[in-house]
Amino acid sequence: MDAPGPPQSIGLFGGTFDPVHSGHLALAAHVLDRCGLDRLLFIPAPEPPHKRRPEASFAHRTAMLEAALADCPQHRRMAVSLIEAELPTPSYTIRTVEALMARHGQSRYFLVIGADSLRDLPHWHRGRELLARVSLIVVRRDQTGPGDPGRILAELGSGFVPATDPHTWRGPTGTTLTYLDEVDFPVSSSAIRAQLARGETPAMLPAAVFAHIQAHRLYGWRPSP
């Protein structure tokens, strides 16, 4: 399900979600309320350009996202978008943003990324153009601090300047960058996959997601003897 027709403020949360876990859901709920967004789209990548190939298929990862959101208290403001399955691979973010804008151009989009991804932005496909098209919500990761986004923006030569809010910067095209340091970006799903391969029940997995993994024996999961 993609964004509706009327203009809205919509968060874009992309990733492999291999698998989705409660950290992803908690971050999405926090961003929705903290940034005053109308909706947030989870956008699973069929073939991410900067990461290894996902272990679970796109269909399974999408099904797990749908199951997780169905049990989420804020599910009416969250949805799964399959738009990247319709676009050429690999899944470049600028292509996704352009496709969404072509369909719902009056809405304003906010890309949710970790601070580590902001550091990598110079290496993204058409990264500077992306900054001019979509606003960013950057979430703390590892040892990043409040001044890091401004420094990175300056290094990019993006033209962003500090706003009145000390955690916000504004770009020349009207886009913004908001840095959230009160919440961490979710940890990698790799530890969860390792637990599943050992036949364990990861605490960070929503019940509906674990049920799907069990039913389809994903990530090498087998019941304990």
Side-chain angles (χ1 to χ4, degrees):
M1 178 179 180
D2 288 333
Q8 292 187 323
S9 295
I10 302 173
L12 307 177
F13 190 2
T16 54
F17 303 110
D18 191 29
V20 62
H21 54 72
S22 56
H24 295 127
L25 301 177
L27 174 63
H30 180 81
V31 167
L32 270 171
D33 292 337
R34 168 69 170 76
C35 299
L37 302 180
D38 295 305
R39 300 179 77 236
L40 185 140
L41 298 179
F42 284 83
I43 306 179
E47 186 180 319
H50 303 298
K51 295 184 178 180
R52 60 158 188 72
R53 186 179 181 86
E55 287 192 24
S57 69
F58 183 74
H60 278 307
R61 289 182 286 120
T62 297
M64 288 186 283
L65 273 168
E66 295 281 10
L69 295 190
D71 288 342
C72 184
Q74 297 203 39
H75 70 277
R76 295 186 184 278
R77 297 172 62 196
M78 300 180 187
V80 179
S81 172
L82 305 183
I83 191 167
E84 290 195 350
E86 306 170 18
L87 301 175
T89 56
S91 307
Y92 290 121
T93 304
I94 184 64
R95 292 176 181 168
T96 304
V97 169
E98 288 176 334
L100 287 169
M101 286 182 167
R103 299 179 187 187
H104 314 286
Q106 292 182 330
S107 293
R108 186 179 180 194
Y109 294 99
F110 296 79
L111 181 65
V112 182
I113 63 174
D116 54 336
S117 293
L118 179 64
R119 290 195 295 268
D120 292 338
L121 197 62
H123 307 293
W124 284 26
H125 181 63
R126 296 163 61 193
R128 291 185 64 180
E129 186 177 346
L130 180 66
L131 276 175
R133 301 293 300 276
V134 65
S135 292
L136 298 185
I137 297 173
V138 180
V139 183
R140 184 182 64 193
R141 191 96 187 241
D142 301 327
Q143 301 300 317
T144 55
D148 289 342
R151 176 180 52 77
I152 295 168
L153 288 170
E155 292 175 357
L156 284 170
S158 61
F160 276 65
V161 296
T164 304
D165 181 340
H167 289 163
T168 302
W169 290 259
R170 296 190 181 278
T173 62
T175 58
T176 60
L177 183 149
T178 301
Y179 178 66
L180 305 183
D181 64 354
E182 71 273 12
V183 62
D184 288 317
F185 203 79
V187 296
S188 169
S189 297
S190 59
I192 290 176
R193 293 193 299 270
Q195 288 179 287
L196 289 166
R198 295 193 295 268
E200 300 173 6
T201 303
M204 294 285 284
L205 273 186
V209 175
F210 187 48
H212 183 93
I213 291 170
Q214 289 176 296
H216 298 277
R217 300 293 177 91
L218 302 180
Y219 308 110
W221 185 88
R222 295 290 184 275
S224 299

